[in-house]
Amino acid sequence: MVSATSATAAADEAMPHAGRMGLFPVDPACTFCGIVSGRVRASRVYEDVQVLSFMDIHPAAPGDLLVIPKAHAAALEDIDQTLTAHLFQVVHLLVRGLRRSGLPCEGVNLFLADGEAADQTVLHLHVHVFPRTTDDRFRLQVRWLERSRADLDDDAAHIRAGLARSGHRPRSP
């Protein structure tokens, strides 16, 4: 197992706050919390004070990883920016390790499903790290939309308003 680096040691000390759905040390009904506690077996790849990575039990390809916060959080909004940054620093580290592992990996897809409508099946925040090859059978089926500039500008205005309602104040360029 890889241990935490000094670059991420400060992030390990940060305490995440309760978000929209709440952050809890563990949820006894959650499979991923069971993995964190050791109650459920997993093939662990990386672990530090705040984050755990393990092999997906139903992989899309050999090397398919999951990266989770150790504390139970259902959605990305449930963790603070410090833990979010640390989670993605670990994702970055694992992508580098995966590319150098000798497993088939010509590219990588990251996937985070946030909420049941986004097909999140385990309601514990997790990032999928999918190794890709040019001949794999991995496909995303999406019906891409075409939107007018006016519609895109209107969507952007709605999102800026949502940011303002969440307390975000834009910085001057």
Side-chain angles (χ1 to χ4, degrees):
M1 241 182 327
V2 178
S3 64
T5 64
S6 59
T8 59
D12 291 346
E13 300 302 320
M15 185 63 199
H17 69 280
R20 174 177 51 85
M21 299 172 81
L23 180 70
F24 304 98
V26 294
D27 176 349
C30 174
T31 301
F32 288 176
C33 287
I35 291 171
V36 170
S37 72
R39 184 174 41 83
V40 175
R41 283 195 63 205
S43 298
R44 293 170 183 244
V45 175
Y46 174 95
E47 183 169 6
D48 64 31
V49 174
Q50 294 183 302
V51 174
L52 174 65
S53 174
F54 50 92
M55 304 308 299
D56 193 329
I57 196 167
H58 298 292
D64 186 344
L65 301 165
L66 297 171
V67 186
I68 67 170
K70 285 183 162 182
H72 183 79
L76 190 57
E77 188 175 356
D78 295 335
I79 63 175
D80 66 16
Q81 290 178 355
T82 301
L83 181 53
T84 301
H86 181 63
L87 181 77
F88 280 95
Q89 286 172 339
V90 171
V91 167
H92 181 263
L93 176 72
L94 291 167
V95 166
R96 292 182 68 149
L98 180 60
R99 285 182 174 271
R100 290 160 176 78
S101 70
L103 292 169
C105 182
E106 299 167 23
V108 174
N109 278 120
L110 303 179
F111 184 76
L112 188 155
D114 195 323
E116 291 182 55
D119 290 329
Q120 183 180 5
T121 56
V122 177
L123 297 180
H124 185 124
L125 176 65
H126 56 286
V127 179
H128 288 267
V129 179
F130 294 115
R132 300 293 308 275
T133 60
T134 54
D135 62 346
D136 66 28
R137 295 175 38 196
F138 186 102
R139 300 290 177 265
L140 292 176
Q141 294 183 344
V142 178
R143 289 182 295 144
W144 301 103
L145 303 174
E146 289 200 30
R147 307 273 322 254
S148 70
R149 178 58 52 204
D151 287 341
L152 295 171
D153 289 344
D154 187 54
D155 292 350
H158 278 85
I159 295 168
R160 285 191 304 272
L163 287 169
R165 283 191 290 276
S166 70
H168 174 74
R169 299 292 173 250
R171 295 181 186 148
S172 299

